[in-house]
Amino acid sequence: MYRFVLRRLFSGVLLLFVITTVAYLLLYAGGGDIARRIVGPTASDAQVALKASQLGLDRPLLVQYWDWLSNAVTGDLGRSWFNGQLVSTGVTGRVSVTLSLVIGATIIAAVISVVLGVLAAVRRGWVDRVAQFVGVLGHAIPGFLIALGLVSLFALNLKLFKATGYVPITTSFGGWAATVTLPIIALSIGCIAAIVQQVRGSLIDALRQDYVRTLRARGLSFNRVVYKHVLRNAGGPALAVLAVQFIGLLGGAVIVEQIFALPGLGQITVTATGQGDIPVVMGVVVATAAIVVTVNLIIDLAQGWLNPKVRLS
Amino acid sequence: MFRSKRMAALVAAVALSLTGCSAAGSSSQDAASQTLTLGAIQSPKTFDASQSEFANLSPFYQAVYDTLIRMQPDGTLVPMLATEWKYNDDKTVLTLKLRDDVKFTDGTAFNADAAKKNLERFKAGTSPDAQFLAALKTATAVDATTLELTLSAPDPAFLNYLSKDASFMQSPASFANADIATNPVGSGPYILDTAATVTGTSYAYKRNPDYWAKDLQHYDNLVLNVYLDQTSLLNAIKSGTLNGANTIDNNTLTEIEAAGYKVNPLALNWSGLILFDRAGTTNPALKDVRVRQALNYAFDTKALLQSIGQGHGEQTAQVFPPSSDAYDKALDSRYAYDPAKAKALLAEAGYASGLTLSLPSSTLLGTTIPALITQQLKDVGITAEFTDTGNNFIADLLAPKYGVSYMILEQQSDWQLINMKLTPGAPWNPYNYEDPKVDELVNKIHLGSVDEQKAAAKELNKYIVEQAWFAPWFRPQSSYVTDAKTNVEVQTGNAYPFIWSFTPAS
């Protein structure tokens, strides 16, 4: 068990190193004249040179990269080139917002899609058709359109929620809920669509297995068979889909955060990438990669708990 | 794991949290009635005064930094940290008397030495407006309250610049602070609350309790929210989150008014074509004034104002604004739409069989404007060839790579405008085109008496219009919207009202 976790952690660190190196080189190659972009098109060449030397952009690429990496290892991710803020402050302050959305959407999606998926697989009939319909609809309508619809209905017309902005959960839970509910719903709909299909499919497969007939023949109630044995078997693939969805939600959050003007990672990523603010983008890359590695580790452990066969691999 | 009871409880909990939050309290920001919450479309790169900017970013800085001179909404200059100022006879030495009762928020006293250090730092810094102080040769602190500025040559716009970012006064004791970019130390009406600020998104300020000019402090708290996305800005306005905001275009004014906001119009820019290549370097046709005039006659500016500006704005053919001494109302209609006249002029110039112009396009412009330009030029026999510049639109214009381009440019005060667009070294004259007549008039404006300046400015404007250096279409209306609780006076020549121009509606 410990060796398994350690191995996964080690490969996670290695992955982090490869991702950050590639990202740094790519960003640098596509950066163009960053100092010029910071001081603006009408600045003099002397001002551009001054800015470049202030930020150390006049040094060779490898020296700059090594400088970034050796500081990053000690937890110092530097300062934004465009607003002077410490990257660690900027990123950690925003991770909580994005994670609020993504974790919230994942939980809601998991609960709703398991309920819907189980009902659809066990009951079939009209429930199944509703679940199928929800699945297709959630896939067909893009997330940003759902978000816009939610804003105009619940925030602008009914005034139930905030249309824009964010209140930290530490300031007021009610305020936080009022600002994140709509974005979470917008994010979770597409997610539900994907997982419902997966849960329904693997349950229907599992229900056809021989052991279900055997258990029923031994007099176990249908519900007991489903909840104690079948779900456990069908849970693995559903969890894998959930993990993929969670990582996909990190991307989906970018658009939703823009629409609701939420100060999350998405907003900072869009701005920083557009500007060529390499220290900030690198900070986001590190944070995102760390989140993804952690989530995958948790999913692996959960799958091992659900299915002893996985633990050996 | 999934016992049905447990699952039911989970579903119930989720449902509760979903319905429960609608009943929960509103956000913490409207707790005090004296909080001013404004929307902006850009965020400051840094709070370091030597790298500060103006225009859309002015409120972020004005909240924390005073200037030596204050500009009123109509453009009049009045005392701020400087109580009086006087030029010598040849306008090369400016002597300012300063207040002696002002302290920065770190306790450092404001005096002539602090002012001198700030001006020198701005001039040597990386602000895009650093050239505002290009004429400043030396700054001398004669005594604690007397500052003497020596200019290398007279600069008619210099006092104007001292009311903008060029004279933001930051505590010299904070120049070496590691957090200078995010924690400004000034003497202004508000103090940045760094704990409540999310850089790039939301900036929270508290009233400065020791501020020297209570009549400029109208609120206890100030919040500046940044919206990078048009939809989110519009939603923030419509949901009543903001007391005031910029609007990105005029398409949404009706919706915003319906939400109970007042539209405060301001004329800031002109849009149309810049005919950069007046010497015919890249396209010999542009050297002929008749071709340039034909380009002015070729556009149905009334229709363009309707289709691009939704009818909010005024047609024009001149680049000087109505607030300027150079402005002549008659020039607005100097080139009324006349395709026949345009064709005749082209024929006279030897282009009866047509001519091809190369223009830049960009995602910034969208597709409508290039299509309209192509159509209007085609009607008079000119072929427009557009090249996509990607993200380098401005850089390519200033390189220069194009003889003609569509552009929206600000209408600054006269001397600033002349130095931005007309002089041989002006950034928006990238081919460095020079005309002796223009040089002579600019020189009069530079060194003449007030009356001579006014007369020369009028003549210069007329000459530029006759020579067709530009082909302006209209002055689009920009709008600043405010809710029922807030009054504002818009600022002449600035995209954003000044921070002390906001007052609670009684």
Side-chain angles (χ1 to χ4, degrees):
Chain A
M1 177 73 185
Y2 284 119
R3 278 183 54 195
F4 168 75
V5 174
L6 275 176
R7 257 209 324 269
R8 296 307 304 253
L9 278 178
F10 177 73
S11 59
V13 169
L14 198 70
L15 183 74
L16 205 59
F17 170 75
V18 173
I19 290 175
T20 49
T21 306
V22 172
Y24 197 97
L25 298 179
L26 279 176
L27 282 167
Y28 200 88
D33 190 348
I34 292 165
R36 157 67 66 192
R37 211 175 308 157
I38 296 173
V39 293
T42 56
S44 66
D45 291 346
Q47 283 184 306
V48 177
L50 176 64
K51 191 51 146 180
S53 77
Q54 278 174 358
L55 298 174
L57 294 171
D58 47 0
R59 299 168 304 165
L61 165 61
L62 282 177
V63 174
Q64 289 186 48
Y65 172 67
W66 178 248
D67 194 32
W68 178 84
L69 188 68
S70 46
N71 286 327
V73 170
T74 65
D76 173 12
L77 293 169
R79 284 181 184 274
S80 157
W81 288 344
F82 281 78
N83 63 30
Q85 195 188 24
L86 283 169
V87 171
S88 48
T89 315
V91 171
T92 46
R94 289 164 180 272
V95 164
S96 61
V97 181
T98 302
L99 284 184
S100 287
L101 299 189
V102 174
I103 292 174
T106 309
I107 291 172
I108 287 179
V111 172
I112 294 179
S113 42
V114 167
V115 172
L116 256 182
V118 170
L119 285 175
V122 174
R123 299 263 171 95
R124 307 302 288 263
W126 67 269
V127 182
D128 192 14
R129 278 195 288 281
V130 168
Q132 298 263 30
F133 179 70
V134 168
V136 172
L137 202 68
H139 265 306
I141 305 176
F144 73 90
L145 211 61
I146 294 172
L148 289 174
L150 290 171
V151 170
S152 65
L153 179 62
F154 291 106
L156 298 180
N157 290 328
L158 301 176
K159 308 233 186 272
L160 291 176
F161 300 102
K162 289 274 173 203
T164 58
Y166 181 75
V167 178
I169 197 163
T170 46
T171 308
S172 112
F173 179 80
W176 172 81
T179 50
V180 298
T181 304
L182 291 182
I184 285 177
I185 296 174
L187 268 180
S188 55
I189 286 178
C191 203
I192 291 170
I195 306 173
V196 161
Q197 301 287 14
Q198 179 63 43
V199 171
R200 175 185 171 276
S202 36
L203 260 183
I204 290 174
D205 283 348
L207 285 170
R208 293 194 185 124
Q209 303 287 329
D210 290 345
Y211 74 85
V212 174
R213 213 175 39 233
T214 314
L215 288 172
R216 288 286 287 137
R218 286 175 57 190
L220 268 74
S221 75
F222 181 72
N223 279 353
R224 184 143 183 196
V225 172
V226 169
Y227 292 122
K228 188 140 177 79
H229 302 278
V230 176
L231 261 182
R232 222 178 152 138
N233 278 320
L239 264 181
V241 172
L242 195 64
V244 171
Q245 285 296 321
F246 180 92
I247 290 158
L249 282 180
L250 286 173
V254 172
I255 294 170
V256 171
E257 282 172 17
Q258 292 275 63
I259 291 172
F260 290 93
L262 294 168
L265 282 182
Q267 202 185 35
I268 205 177
T269 310
V270 170
T271 320
T273 314
Q275 288 173 324
D277 197 344
I278 294 179
V280 174
V281 182
M282 293 306 295
V284 174
V285 168
V286 170
T288 316
I291 291 171
V292 170
V293 167
T294 312
V295 168
N296 279 327
L297 185 65
I298 292 170
I299 295 287
D300 284 337
L301 292 174
Q303 286 201 317
W305 174 77
L306 278 174
N307 183 354
K309 276 190 270 179
V310 180
R311 283 176 225 178
L312 305 171
S313 55
Chain B
M1 178 180 179
F2 295 110
R3 291 281 157 90
S4 52
K5 269 185 192 161
R6 228 186 270 177
M7 203 152 67
L10 243 175
V11 174
V14 170
L16 265 180
S17 73
L18 283 179
T19 49
C21 50
S22 59
S26 62
S27 98
S28 57
Q29 278 172 14
D30 28 63
S33 59
Q34 294 303 308
T35 294
L36 177 68
T37 307
L38 303 177
I41 50 180
Q42 280 179 297
S43 61
K45 287 176 190 151
T46 170
F47 275 104
D48 180 342
S50 74
Q51 302 179 37
S52 58
E53 300 179 50
F54 216 62
N56 271 303
L57 294 170
S58 53
F60 294 92
Y61 294 105
Q62 284 179 329
V64 289
Y65 296 130
D66 287 328
T67 46
L68 293 174
I69 297 175
R70 189 165 72 87
M71 190 188 274
Q72 292 190 306
D74 65 357
T76 321
L77 298 176
V78 295
M80 196 164 194
L81 292 177
T83 52
E84 50 182 294
W85 50 89
K86 209 168 132 249
Y87 270 120
N88 68 343
D89 286 344
D90 68 357
K91 295 192 180 167
T92 53
V93 179
L94 177 68
T95 309
L96 301 107
K97 282 278 173 211
L98 309 180
R99 299 187 70 95
D100 59 359
D101 58 348
V102 178
K103 273 196 163 47
F104 293 108
T105 50
D106 62 357
T108 313
F110 166 77
N111 55 29
D113 187 54
K116 161 191 155 77
K117 283 185 178 138
N118 271 290
L119 293 174
E120 286 171 345
R121 225 169 141 258
F122 188 86
K123 183 181 160 88
T126 52
S127 163
D129 297 328
Q131 83 275 0
F132 281 178
L133 297 184
L136 179 67
K137 198 159 71 176
T138 53
T140 316
V142 178
D143 57 45
T145 57
T146 314
L147 178 69
E148 198 174 82
L149 304 178
T150 308
L151 308 186
S152 49
D155 184 343
F158 197 76
L159 291 173
N160 256 349
Y161 297 150
L162 293 186
S163 73
K164 297 184 174 175
D165 45 359
S167 87
F168 281 144
M169 291 294 148
Q170 185 178 9
S171 167
S174 72
F175 287 169
N177 289 359
D179 63 355
I180 186 168
T182 50
N183 186 11
V185 183
S187 63
Y190 301 93
I191 300 169
L192 185 72
D193 180 353
T194 48
T197 292
V198 183
T199 303
T201 302
S202 178
Y203 295 76
Y205 298 81
K206 288 194 168 84
R207 170 194 280 262
N208 175 359
D210 307 320
Y211 193 51
W212 57 273
K214 299 285 180 218
D215 58 327
L216 297 179
Q217 276 180 313
H218 306 299
Y219 294 90
D220 298 322
N221 304 295
L222 167 70
V223 178
L224 296 171
N225 289 333
V226 183
Y227 299 91
L228 299 171
D229 177 85
Q230 293 200 35
T231 317
S232 64
L233 173 62
L234 184 64
N235 288 338
I237 294 171
K238 280 160 67 179
S239 64
T241 311
L242 303 173
N243 300 116
N246 281 87
T247 49
I248 304 211
D249 56 37
N250 295 324
N251 294 331
T252 51
L253 289 185
T254 331
E255 277 177 82
I256 293 174
E257 278 181 308
Y261 281 76
K262 177 171 170 246
V263 172
N264 307 275
L266 64 150
L268 197 66
N269 306 319
W270 65 271
S271 65
L273 300 186
I274 304 181
L275 313 182
F276 289 113
D277 191 9
R278 296 140 201 154
T281 318
T282 55
N283 188 339
L286 291 170
K287 190 172 182 206
D288 194 316
V289 69
R290 290 168 297 191
V291 173
R292 298 202 301 265
Q293 288 181 332
L295 286 169
N296 272 274
Y297 284 116
F299 288 97
D300 184 354
T301 50
K302 193 172 176 185
L304 289 167
L305 175 57
Q306 282 303 333
S307 59
I308 303 168
Q310 288 74 44
H312 297 279
E314 295 163 321
Q315 287 166 254
T316 187
Q318 58 192 325
V319 295
F320 283 88
S323 59
S324 151
D325 290 327
Y327 179 78
D328 176 358
K329 187 154 180 47
L331 290 175
D332 278 345
S333 49
R334 164 69 180 80
Y335 295 105
Y337 178 51
D338 191 343
K341 176 120 190 160
K343 277 189 189 151
L345 281 165
L346 286 170
E348 264 178 59
Y351 297 96
S353 56
L355 122 94
T356 301
L357 287 182
S358 157
L359 296 99
S361 65
S362 150
T363 43
L364 297 168
L365 287 189
T367 50
T368 317
I369 291 169
L372 288 169
I373 292 175
T374 306
Q375 184 56 48
Q376 297 258 280
L377 290 178
K378 195 168 149 239
D379 291 347
V380 298
I382 298 175
T383 310
E385 284 182 349
F386 277 94
T387 313
D388 185 19
T389 57
N391 289 329
N392 299 323
F393 184 69
I394 305 282
D396 281 1
L397 290 186
L398 301 180
K401 288 189 185 171
Y402 295 93
V404 181
S405 176
Y406 171 83
M407 189 63 200
I408 301 173
L409 276 186
E410 193 187 339
Q411 301 185 301
Q412 302 101 328
S413 61
D414 292 2
W415 188 244
Q416 219 180 323
L417 187 150
I418 288 166
N419 284 291
M420 273 310 273
K421 301 172 195 168
L422 306 181
T423 58
W428 289 96
N429 180 8
Y431 287 87
N432 305 334
Y433 181 67
E434 198 162 358
D435 178 327
K437 172 96 175 148
V438 171
D439 285 358
E440 178 201 331
L441 290 168
V442 168
N443 210 29
K444 272 189 191 157
I445 297 168
H446 191 177
L447 305 169
S449 67
V450 173
D451 290 340
E452 285 170 338
Q453 285 179 342
K454 283 184 182 172
K458 264 207 168 13
E459 200 182 335
L460 173 67
N461 186 20
K462 191 169 169 53
Y463 183 74
I464 295 287
V465 173
E466 287 305 322
Q467 285 293 307
W469 280 30
F470 305 89
W473 297 346
F474 53 86
R475 290 184 290 272
Q477 174 195 314
S478 306
S479 311
Y480 194 88
V481 297
T482 44
D483 70 352
K485 288 185 285 200
T486 314
N487 291 335
V488 74
E489 283 188 89
V490 295
Q491 185 68 34
T492 307
N494 199 48
Y496 215 96
F498 285 176
I499 205 71
W500 41 80
S501 303
F502 291 91
T503 47
S506 43

